[in-house]
Amino acid sequence: MSDELVTRLRSALGDGAVVDDPDVLDGHRNDHATFCTGGTARALVRPSSTAEVQEVLRAATALRVPVVTQGARTGLSGAANAVDGCLLLSTSRLNRIVEISAEDQVAVVQPGVVNADLSRAVLEQGLFYPPDPSSWEQSTIGGNIATNAGGLCCVKYGVTSDFVRGLEVVLASGEVVRTGRRAAKGVAGYDLTRLMVGSEGTLGVVTEATLALRPEPEAALTAAATFLTIEDGIAAAAAVMASGLRPSLLEFLDQPTLRAIQGYRDMGLPENVGSMLLAQSDRGARAAEDVARIAAICAEHGAVDVAEASDAEESRMLLEARRLVNPALEPLGITLIDDVSVPRSQLVTLLRGIAEIGAKYDVLICCPGHVGDGNMHPTVVFDRDDEAAEARALEAFGAVMELGLRLGGTITGEHGIGTLKAQWLETELGPVGLELHRRIKAAFDPLNLLNPGKVLL
Amino acid sequence: MSDELVTRLRSALGDGAVVDDPDVLDGHRNDHATFCTGGTARALVRPSSTAEVQEVLRAATALRVPVVTQGARTGLSGAANAVDGCLLLSTSRLNRIVEISAEDQVAVVQPGVVNADLSRAVLEQGLFYPPDPSSWEQSTIGGNIATNAGGLCCVKYGVTSDFVRGLEVVLASGEVVRTGRRAAKGVAGYDLTRLMVGSEGTLGVVTEATLALRPEPEAALTAAATFLTIEDGIAAAAAVMASGLRPSLLEFLDQPTLRAIQGYRDMGLPENVGSMLLAQSDRGARAAEDVARIAAICAEHGAVDVAEASDAEESRMLLEARRLVNPALEPLGITLIDDVSVPRSQLVTLLRGIAEIGAKYDVLICCPGHVGDGNMHPTVVFDRDDEAAEARALEAFGAVMELGLRLGGTITGEHGIGTLKAQWLETELGPVGLELHRRIKAAFDPLNLLNPGKVLL
């Protein structure tokens, strides 16, 4: 069976496009999710065109071989992990920026284009592709679409789905469908584009995307404020969001995170600081005024220290704490990053509850997050050599999701379900919602060959 | 059969909720679409709660009666028209604003709430619900969701789907599903919310919607500019969109439209004016500066006359031409309003092509539109007593859609498919896309009871 698939693909795509070296396959087993172990693939294929993707899927369907599409494997939920006996479909050769149109403010790209490469290419034409997941230097547009990636600036600009106008998709059958449009507006038929975005490779393989662009934003300035309590920091964030200002970044760091950062590098953060807010305005000549208003709002809400950057270098320094979160947590142990998103009114309850969960299960939980969107990344940190701690960490991880759902939130704001949270999805969707998901999956992929076992168990 | 349905519904919902008076049913036959004649319903039911909607759909499914959900019937595609033997499900008693939360910047509403009522209610709390279809004083949120309604301000703020966070939906089976969330971000599972928005009553009945709100915008000011040619007006609009300004309205009027307006009321528009742009900025203290920049851009692109409002009253006067489009066209004959949306780079070709189509079929076509989004409303005007003209008008209407598709656009930017354009949908979607639509429809509504014959033939 394996031989037949490899032979057929080599004959159709050329020898160089098909790899069955076990070492290479082993290197493509996992994405960046903690605790999600990938299976053993039978081959990896690198198609170079939509027609070749069609060949691959026709072969996979004929031979009933599951297909896992992989971009840069920077995902955090195991969605890109290999499953046993699967064919890995790498988008690495589908990496062409097909077109950038300043007039229509769109880019047309293949899925293997790296986010940062696209962002820089459009910037050269005075344009802006906002979605900025922290993996943007590695992650691909295809992967961003598969997970509906967010990022720091989505508090102002929105997430990946807000910038996907249309898609070319190859279905499991090998058929090609074009969804959406190049035009800004359109309501002809069901929104298949949005259905594909965030579907984590379970409905089809995206081979081309038409993305909306915006004019380049102006220069940004940053403000940073520290508070004695969680409550003050969250209240200040809510007041910023209610003010009519549109910050291009609004980040929160809780006390455990701040202590980890201070332990990693001396940022002069006093021991008693309870939370920190970081905010940015990217309105050029107006940024200083915006930042002053944000600073004033923070002061009104009890900030103990407020700093306003007056230039790009000072802005960079103020954002340093945010950038140090991962480096600071990494030496402390294994990090299990959660991704709950709740209505902003529930943030204090969420953060208080997370502290209680940390105490109950005796694990460190640091909680940085995109506070403007209510999307927090509670990160359970535990000793890599302590099996009991690992078990407690997993229990705490589950308890955080339960809490998020109880507060009217979701188990995942931007990282996706993959395998990491697949057993949690029914709790969020309910049985009727889950059954609709299964029917939609069957409508697109009746043989369940595309990324089986991901999202839907 | 009819008796059994009516008896069952009266028993479940009370006599007052069920109407089978032929005059009332006749009055609910049609929406506002031209040339789309509705069928004869067997009854009209007005449920007051989600549980009652479930009762209605269980009864309809048990008796295999098609169900057409109706809001205010202001739609322009026949999507809300009765089909023979159907049950009309009116949302008129599901008209409660359940909650407005300033903290979470959301409103929770039932589908029968009128757009203007919601907009005014949130404004009282300093909040803003942007979608503003021209029917907003009559049309309901449920209808806006069913059609993914746009409007004037979506050039800055987006369309209805951009403001729908989550839905409660009753399926044809009578089961209830909740989609989406109250939180700002979430990627758990497929985007069923977006799939419902714009599905024109074919997938389920929305019984509650959680809508995103924004802080109230500041005061708006308007600029108006006239040009000798279409090309100059379109080029000026493109330059405004490329400038980084975010106009909260950017409308275009072509020469036939301007002549009709001038004929209806003397606006002092010279005969040789080829196009007009209307633009608005809603940034309060900055609006004057924005409007001055827009005026300068128009002047650079050959405007023959540019007016900048300095207050709300002057703004209102400048927008008068836009408001007079429908009153001015109405006395000229029957109006068949199209809704093509194309990439902005194709607008000149579209407008030139529309003029040729008008000449070829010997009908007047006026072309106002939301130029910032490339969404035009070419309106075929013809004598109501001339059957030959009616036939030519329909041919011209089709030719405009063909042209829009050829230019990479869509047959409908914001009005929907309904019955008016159902025979055109496959041309836009292609056979694979259409087949996916059919499978999705079957996944939600296997007996094809919800709005049969609309969208999908």
Side-chain angles (χ1 to χ4, degrees):
Chain A
M1 180 80 155
S2 170
D3 279 1
E4 191 182 345
L5 177 73
V6 169
T7 306
R8 179 165 168 170
L9 292 175
R10 285 193 171 139
S11 150
L13 275 64
D15 285 0
V18 188
V19 181
D20 58 0
D21 177 330
D23 290 342
V24 175
L25 298 182
D26 194 54
H28 286 76
R29 192 183 285 274
N30 294 319
D31 66 14
H32 286 191
T34 309
F35 285 132
C36 297
T37 306
T40 301
R42 68 173 60 180
L44 179 147
V45 62
R46 295 193 176 99
S48 300
S49 67
T50 301
E52 288 192 355
V53 173
Q54 292 182 268
E55 284 291 338
V56 169
L57 289 169
R58 278 191 213 111
T61 286
L63 299 170
R64 302 294 192 267
V65 176
V67 176
V68 176
T69 306
Q70 294 188 331
R73 292 179 295 110
T74 52
L76 294 166
S77 71
N81 283 4
V83 300
D84 282 333
C86 78
L87 176 65
L88 298 174
L89 192 166
S90 165
T91 61
S92 60
R93 292 184 179 176
L94 292 162
N95 63 349
R96 209 155 50 84
I97 297 176
V98 178
E99 182 197 353
I100 297 170
S101 165
E103 194 171 5
D104 288 334
Q105 298 179 325
V106 298
V108 179
V109 304
Q110 291 186 315
V113 171
V114 170
N115 180 308
D117 291 339
L118 174 65
S119 296
R120 291 191 192 106
V122 303
L123 204 58
E124 280 174 23
Q125 302 197 27
L127 296 164
F128 177 39
Y129 177 68
D132 62 346
S134 58
S135 61
W136 75 299
E137 289 278 9
Q138 290 85 41
S139 66
T140 63
I141 296 298
N144 295 169
I145 289 171
T147 55
N148 193 8
L152 297 180
C153 78
C154 53
V155 64
K156 177 168 181 177
Y157 294 103
V159 295
T160 299
S161 60
D162 295 309
F163 294 88
V164 182
R165 290 259 178 94
L167 295 171
E168 180 187 78
V169 177
V170 180
L171 302 177
S173 63
E175 293 170 298
V176 178
V177 64
R178 282 201 162 266
T179 73
R181 66 202 64 76
R182 182 184 175 108
K185 280 166 71 181
V187 294
Y190 303 144
D191 196 340
L192 300 190
T193 307
R194 294 283 181 149
L195 193 58
M196 286 302 306
V197 177
S199 64
E200 303 188 27
T202 63
L203 298 182
V205 178
V206 171
T207 48
E208 191 177 279
T210 302
L211 305 171
L213 305 173
R214 295 176 56 126
E216 182 185 348
E218 299 178 85
L221 287 177
T222 303
T226 51
F227 303 85
L228 288 178
T229 63
I230 288 173
E231 284 77 1
D232 286 350
I234 296 295
V240 169
M241 292 303 288
S243 68
L245 289 164
R246 298 278 288 172
S248 53
L249 173 154
L250 191 60
E251 294 290 305
F252 175 88
L253 301 171
D254 73 342
Q255 189 171 60
T257 310
L258 292 167
R259 287 185 177 169
I261 292 168
Q262 178 67 19
Y264 178 74
R265 188 181 301 174
D266 185 2
M267 306 278 291
L269 294 167
E271 181 76 3
N272 68 341
V273 167
S275 64
M276 176 186 266
L277 274 191
L278 297 163
Q280 198 166 69
S281 164
D282 62 355
R283 299 204 304 151
R286 275 91 178 235
E289 182 189 325
D290 290 351
V291 156
R293 274 185 69 194
I294 291 169
I297 290 170
C298 290
E300 283 161 26
H301 288 81
V304 288
D305 190 45
V306 186
E308 294 170 51
S310 58
D311 60 28
E313 177 55 21
E314 283 179 28
S315 290
R316 203 192 58 72
M317 283 170 58
L318 291 180
L319 285 176
E320 190 69 11
R322 179 66 183 80
R323 256 191 305 275
L324 288 179
V325 171
N326 288 332
L329 297 187
E330 219 251 327
L332 302 183
I334 294 180
T335 55
L336 185 55
I337 304 173
D338 210 335
D339 178 40
V340 289
S341 178
V342 298
R344 277 200 309 275
S345 60
Q346 303 303 311
L347 278 169
V348 168
T349 312
L350 178 75
L351 288 159
R352 290 282 169 219
I354 286 170
E356 283 167 23
I357 290 167
K360 177 175 173 188
Y361 293 101
D362 191 22
V363 285
L364 174 64
I365 309 183
C366 296
C367 201
H370 314 306
V371 65
D373 288 323
N375 183 197
M376 292 284 142
H377 293 310
T379 302
V380 188
V381 188
F382 59 95
D383 188 334
R384 60 190 77 233
D385 300 319
D386 181 347
E387 274 184 37
E390 178 176 317
R392 294 198 310 275
L394 279 170
E395 286 192 84
F397 186 69
V400 168
M401 282 190 279
E402 263 175 18
L403 175 61
L405 287 175
R406 211 158 56 232
L407 299 177
T410 171
I411 57 175
T412 177
E414 57 183 10
H415 293 170
I417 299 293
T419 58
L420 182 68
K421 296 184 175 179
Q423 77 276 24
W424 287 88
L425 190 62
E426 182 170 0
T427 312
E428 174 154 348
L429 298 181
V432 181
L434 192 70
E435 174 58 22
L436 280 179
H437 275 66
R438 291 193 197 289
R439 291 192 211 153
I440 290 168
K441 166 71 168 165
F444 280 76
D445 176 23
L447 298 172
N448 192 28
L449 292 177
L450 297 180
N451 221 6
K454 314 296 176 62
V455 186
L456 299 169
L457 289 176
Chain B
M1 181 82 155
S2 171
D3 278 0
E4 192 181 345
L5 177 72
V6 169
T7 306
R8 180 165 166 170
L9 291 176
R10 284 195 170 138
S11 150
L13 275 63
D15 284 0
V18 188
V19 182
D20 58 0
D21 177 330
D23 289 342
V24 175
L25 298 182
D26 195 54
H28 287 75
R29 192 183 284 274
N30 294 318
D31 66 16
H32 285 192
T34 309
F35 284 132
C36 297
T37 307
T40 301
R42 69 173 60 180
L44 180 149
V45 62
R46 295 193 177 98
S48 300
S49 66
T50 301
E52 288 191 355
V53 173
Q54 291 182 268
E55 284 291 339
V56 169
L57 288 170
R58 278 190 214 115
T61 287
L63 300 170
R64 302 293 192 268
V65 176
V67 176
V68 176
T69 306
Q70 293 189 330
R73 292 180 293 110
T74 52
L76 293 167
S77 71
N81 283 4
V83 300
D84 282 333
C86 79
L87 176 65
L88 297 174
L89 192 165
S90 165
T91 61
S92 59
R93 291 184 179 177
L94 292 162
N95 62 350
R96 208 156 50 84
I97 296 176
V98 179
E99 183 198 353
I100 297 170
S101 165
E103 194 171 4
D104 288 334
Q105 296 179 325
V106 298
V108 179
V109 304
Q110 291 186 315
V113 171
V114 171
N115 180 309
D117 292 338
L118 174 65
S119 296
R120 291 192 192 104
V122 303
L123 204 58
E124 280 175 22
Q125 303 196 26
L127 295 164
F128 177 39
Y129 177 67
D132 61 346
S134 58
S135 60
W136 75 300
E137 289 279 9
Q138 290 85 42
S139 66
T140 63
I141 297 297
N144 295 170
I145 289 171
T147 56
N148 193 8
L152 297 180
C153 79
C154 52
V155 65
K156 176 168 180 176
Y157 295 104
V159 296
T160 299
S161 59
D162 295 310
F163 294 88
V164 183
R165 289 259 177 93
L167 296 171
E168 180 186 78
V169 177
V170 181
L171 302 178
S173 62
E175 294 169 296
V176 177
V177 63
R178 282 202 162 264
T179 74
R181 65 201 65 77
R182 183 185 175 106
K185 281 165 72 180
V187 294
Y190 303 145
D191 196 338
L192 299 190
T193 307
R194 294 283 181 149
L195 193 58
M196 286 301 307
V197 177
S199 64
E200 303 187 28
T202 63
L203 299 181
V205 179
V206 171
T207 48
E208 191 177 279
T210 302
L211 305 172
L213 305 173
R214 294 176 56 127
E216 183 185 348
E218 298 177 85
L221 287 177
T222 303
T226 50
F227 303 85
L228 288 178
T229 64
I230 287 173
E231 283 77 0
D232 287 349
I234 295 295
V240 169
M241 292 302 287
S243 69
L245 289 164
R246 298 277 290 173
S248 53
L249 173 153
L250 189 61
E251 293 291 306
F252 174 89
L253 301 171
D254 74 341
Q255 189 170 60
T257 310
L258 292 167
R259 287 185 178 169
I261 293 167
Q262 178 67 18
Y264 178 75
R265 187 180 301 174
D266 185 2
M267 305 278 290
L269 295 168
E271 181 76 3
N272 68 340
V273 167
S275 65
M276 177 186 266
L277 275 191
L278 297 162
Q280 197 166 69
S281 164
D282 62 354
R283 299 203 303 152
R286 273 92 177 236
E289 180 189 326
D290 289 351
V291 156
R293 273 184 70 195
I294 291 169
I297 289 169
C298 289
E300 284 161 25
H301 288 81
V304 288
D305 191 44
V306 185
E308 294 170 51
S310 58
D311 60 29
E313 178 55 18
E314 284 179 26
S315 291
R316 203 194 57 75
M317 284 171 59
L318 290 180
L319 285 176
E320 190 68 11
R322 179 66 184 78
R323 255 190 306 275
L324 288 178
V325 170
N326 288 332
L329 298 187
E330 219 252 324
L332 302 182
I334 294 180
T335 55
L336 185 54
I337 304 173
D338 210 335
D339 178 40
V340 289
S341 177
V342 297
R344 277 201 309 276
S345 60
Q346 304 302 311
L347 278 168
V348 168
T349 312
L350 178 75
L351 288 158
R352 289 285 170 216
I354 287 170
E356 283 167 23
I357 290 167
K360 177 174 173 187
Y361 293 101
D362 191 22
V363 286
L364 174 64
I365 310 183
C366 296
C367 200
H370 314 305
V371 65
D373 289 323
N375 184 196
M376 292 285 142
H377 293 310
T379 303
V380 188
V381 188
F382 59 95
D383 187 334
R384 61 190 78 234
D385 299 320
D386 181 345
E387 274 185 33
E390 178 175 319
R392 294 198 310 275
L394 280 169
E395 287 192 82
F397 187 68
V400 168
M401 281 190 277
E402 263 175 18
L403 175 62
L405 287 175
R406 212 157 57 232
L407 299 177
T410 171
I411 58 175
T412 176
E414 58 183 9
H415 292 169
I417 298 292
T419 57
L420 183 66
K421 297 185 173 178
Q423 77 277 25
W424 287 88
L425 191 62
E426 182 171 1
T427 312
E428 174 154 347
L429 299 181
V432 181
L434 192 70
E435 174 59 23
L436 280 179
H437 275 67
R438 289 194 199 289
R439 291 192 210 153
I440 290 168
K441 167 71 169 164
F444 280 77
D445 176 22
L447 298 172
N448 192 28
L449 292 177
L450 297 180
N451 221 5
K454 315 294 177 63
V455 186
L456 299 169
L457 289 175

